Amino acid sequence: VKLWGGRFKKELNEKVEEFMRSLPFDKRLFREDIMVNLAWAEALAKIKILSEAELEKIKKALSEIEGEIERGEFKFLPTDEDIHTAIERALVEKVGEAGAKIHTGKSRNDQVVTDLKIYLKREIKEIARLLRDYLKALSELAEREKDLVMPGYTHLQPAQPVLFSHYILAYFWMGKRDFDRLVSCYKKMDYLPLGSGAFSGTSFPIDRKFLAQKLSFSHVTENSVDAVSSRDFALHFLNQAAILMIHLSRLAEDLILWNSKEFSFIELEDSFTTGSSLMPQKKNPDPLELVRAKAGRVIGNWVKLATVLKGLPLSYNRDLQEDKEALFDSVDTVKGALSFLPSLLSSLKVNPSQMRKSLQESDVLATEAADFLVEKGVPFREAHSLAGEAVKLAVERGESLEALSLKDWESVSPLFSAEIGDYLSIEKSLQRRNVEGGTSPQRLQEELEKAQHVLSRMEEWLK
Ligand code: ARG
């Protein structure tokens, strides 16, 4: 069954038909398509294109169709191009003439974009909910391991001591911005396109505000051409999803490193690791590796749609059908990753003694030695160079900085006094970083409270 056979002498080429078909993937929009048809039928009844009796028949038939698709009983035909065609075809089969009136004043062009926005608004809320759970797990891990110190890295070289929780909360704030971006993306797409027809509007006096209310949109689109041509709402989401996955991939990478034998800072629970088919001793972090890799896939989906849209003339072109798979795939992938990260985080074990050992072996207090001299009035650049000499001395001896004697320190600079021994302490180094947003225990406490506040604000939006 075709929605458009009238002016053609020949049937569509079979291979072309197969090539163009979107049903295999747009099937998943059946609920949204039924909702849109229902709302549209009501709007048509309001302007007397459909009688009350016809409306009732249509409503009943649409809900039957929905049930049949849900239960897998619906018979899709090879000639159903897409989900819109399939549903309209079935409606006409069920109610005849009344069904044949449903497409009055609407086009698949405004219908498909409406379906897609309804779908995406719901999925954004769902993703935001999962994201909130992930952020909650991060904050709980930070709360649980409040006192734990580890070496922080720059260039993957040990740099300075940092509270493990402060480091973990870095991911919290990244995710909080992801949440805000999802909210903003949601708001920008909250405009109903239905009623835009093929692209120029519809000649029937359809009440679009009524439709918006029925379909839970806050506004109606201001321009019918824009409404059917634009997919920036989808592109925006794909971009936000990519940034979110990039963040998750960085967490994954940190955890993979820390879980390695060489670092041994953490241990992933068995249920989040896999064995090797060849090497019996192995316990591999495959799930996290896939989070890392799938970020690439989600970035790819964004690039894919951007490429489809670039240079595309207005208004509707069939190119736009290519928006869906990218969108569905990113939604599924992001949800998949977020679904297990909270439990992975809450079950991971930390290894304080290994972190301590690594701190002691890696001269992460060299900055403190320079700061010590600065407090004595030495300009920082000079202090940096003197501290560097002390490091050189320790390295030459194969010892750590803390092992240098007072004599050694004095040989580098007479300004190093007996207090240096006390100054070079991991705990004091942390306490001194008491600047707003720094890693001192006091600031961490503040940070944890702020995180709680952020989580409860998220709750409000999710209601
Ligand atoms: N399957 C199409 C899509 O996803 C529906 C719109 C078709 N419109 C048209 N004028 N051919 O974009």
Side-chain angles (χ1 to χ4, degrees):
V1 182
K2 290 261 170 316
L3 301 180
W4 41 262
R7 58 105 63 220
F8 290 85
K9 289 201 190 114
K10 259 182 140 178
E11 287 290 308
L12 183 63
N13 176 295
E14 252 174 58
K15 295 270 187 281
V16 167
E17 187 158 5
E18 192 46 39
F19 178 70
M20 296 202 311
R21 229 166 160 236
S22 56
L23 185 72
F25 52 85
D26 67 19
K27 247 192 242 181
R28 81 151 89 182
L29 295 173
F30 77 92
R31 280 195 192 83
E32 291 76 10
D33 205 65
I34 299 268
M35 284 170 70
V36 168
N37 274 304
L38 275 172
W40 190 253
E42 289 194 29
L44 288 178
K46 276 186 76 168
I47 55 169
K48 311 273 183 263
I49 301 255
L50 289 176
S51 68
E52 280 306 314
E54 285 174 323
L55 174 63
E56 286 318 307
K57 275 202 237 167
I58 287 177
K59 279 185 172 171
K60 187 166 161 278
L62 283 172
S63 94
E64 279 169 24
I65 294 170
E66 185 170 20
E68 287 163 21
I69 302 180
E70 243 155 34
R71 294 189 299 272
E73 290 163 8
F74 187 89
K75 292 227 164 20
F76 287 103
L77 302 179
T79 45
D80 293 335
E81 255 184 76
D82 53 25
I83 189 64
H84 327 290
T85 315
I87 290 176
E88 192 179 331
R89 192 243 324 139
L91 184 66
V92 175
E93 279 169 13
K94 279 183 192 285
V95 300
E97 195 174 312
K101 290 184 182 175
I102 189 83
H103 213 54
T104 313
K106 105 171 141 48
S107 156
R108 276 183 298 162
N109 299 354
D110 59 348
Q111 185 166 338
V112 68
V113 66
T114 306
D115 287 6
L116 211 53
K117 278 188 169 183
I118 297 174
Y119 160 82
L120 197 52
K121 279 171 63 189
R122 191 190 60 240
E123 291 297 346
I124 287 180
K125 284 242 165 165
E126 192 49 40
I127 291 173
R129 222 166 260 126
L130 292 167
L131 181 57
R132 183 266 329 260
D133 294 345
Y134 158 74
L135 296 177
K136 194 152 167 273
L138 285 171
S139 76
E140 282 164 4
L141 176 61
E143 183 68 47
R144 186 183 93 195
E145 304 299 344
K146 254 198 263 202
D147 304 320
L148 189 60
V149 194
M150 63 171 228
Y153 295 76
T154 61
H155 314 270
L156 262 188
Q157 305 291 325
Q160 290 171 342
V162 67
L163 285 174
F164 173 80
S165 296
H166 185 58
Y167 192 104
I168 285 294
L169 285 177
Y171 286 108
F172 178 93
W173 299 108
M174 288 150 85
K176 185 243 175 216
R177 293 192 296 277
D178 288 323
F179 190 97
D180 292 347
R181 274 187 282 263
L182 285 175
V183 173
S184 127
C185 185
Y186 182 99
K187 286 188 181 154
K188 286 198 184 74
M189 76 176 69
D190 199 9
Y191 289 74
L192 174 84
L194 196 62
S196 300
F199 74 96
S200 62
T202 165
S203 43
F204 301 92
I206 288 287
D207 183 350
R208 295 190 66 210
K209 294 238 161 50
F210 165 81
L211 284 171
Q213 197 210 331
K214 279 263 143 199
L215 294 170
S216 306
F217 280 83
S218 304
H219 320 272
V220 298
T221 50
E222 301 89 343
N223 180 309
S224 59
V225 181
D226 174 40
V228 302
S229 313
S230 296
R231 292 295 183 274
D232 53 312
F233 73 92
L235 189 61
H236 189 192
F237 169 77
L238 288 174
N239 174 257
Q240 308 310 323
I243 298 176
L244 166 56
M245 279 303 286
I246 289 170
H247 290 162
L248 299 185
S249 78
R250 296 183 74 175
L251 173 80
E253 173 61 5
D254 265 340
L255 297 180
I256 290 168
L257 272 177
W258 295 348
N259 186 62
S260 67
K261 263 268 156 331
E262 288 69 17
F263 273 81
S264 293
F265 284 1
I266 61 165
E267 195 189 332
L268 295 170
E269 211 217 19
D270 280 4
S271 57
F272 297 103
T273 55
T274 53
S276 154
S277 55
L278 188 126
M279 299 162 281
Q281 84 281 16
K282 297 271 273 187
K283 199 178 133 182
N284 296 328
D286 292 31
L288 289 173
E289 289 166 23
L290 282 171
V291 170
R292 188 171 63 186
K294 282 175 194 280
R297 170 176 178 151
V298 174
I299 294 167
N301 287 332
W302 165 42
V303 175
K304 172 179 165 183
L305 184 60
T307 314
V308 168
L309 295 177
K310 184 204 159 291
L312 194 67
L314 308 186
S315 61
Y316 181 85
N317 297 274
R318 192 61 173 263
D319 309 53
L320 293 173
Q321 177 171 292
E322 286 291 305
D323 57 1
K324 280 173 242 9
E325 285 158 297
L327 212 52
F328 296 158
D329 187 66
S330 284
V331 164
D332 293 345
T333 308
V334 169
K335 281 165 76 178
L338 286 173
S339 70
F340 71 86
L341 283 173
S343 339
L344 180 146
L345 289 168
S346 59
S347 66
L348 69 76
K349 279 209 210 70
V350 296
N351 187 351
S353 59
Q354 186 60 32
M355 291 186 191
R356 190 48 76 167
K357 186 163 165 257
S358 166
L359 276 166
Q360 277 153 1
E361 286 167 356
S362 52
D363 285 339
V364 287
L365 294 175
T367 316
E368 309 310 299
D371 289 352
F372 179 88
L373 291 181
V374 168
E375 284 184 21
K376 305 258 168 203
V378 180
F380 179 76
R381 201 39 65 210
E382 210 175 301
H384 180 282
S385 150
L386 290 167
E389 277 179 44
V391 172
K392 189 160 69 184
L393 191 62
V395 170
E396 276 164 8
R397 293 207 194 134
E399 280 174 354
S400 80
L401 204 53
E402 294 92 312
L404 295 181
S405 69
L406 181 57
K407 245 206 173 92
D408 297 328
W409 283 107
E410 282 169 346
S411 74
V412 174
S413 163
L415 285 171
F416 281 119
S417 58
E419 302 134 56
I420 183 71
D422 211 25
Y423 200 92
L424 290 191
S425 113
I426 287 163
E427 276 60 40
K428 292 210 170 108
S429 145
L430 291 172
Q431 274 157 16
R432 277 194 290 268
R433 281 164 176 69
N434 201 26
V435 66
E436 261 181 82
T439 190
S440 77
Q442 191 189 332
R443 292 297 182 182
L444 175 73
Q445 199 47 48
E446 260 176 40
E447 194 182 354
L448 284 166
E449 282 156 28
K450 280 189 197 154
Q452 278 314 313
H453 182 67
V454 164
L455 285 170
S456 54
R457 272 218 322 269
M458 286 177 180
E459 223 51 67
E460 270 163 49
W461 189 74
L462 288 170
K463 260 189 214 147

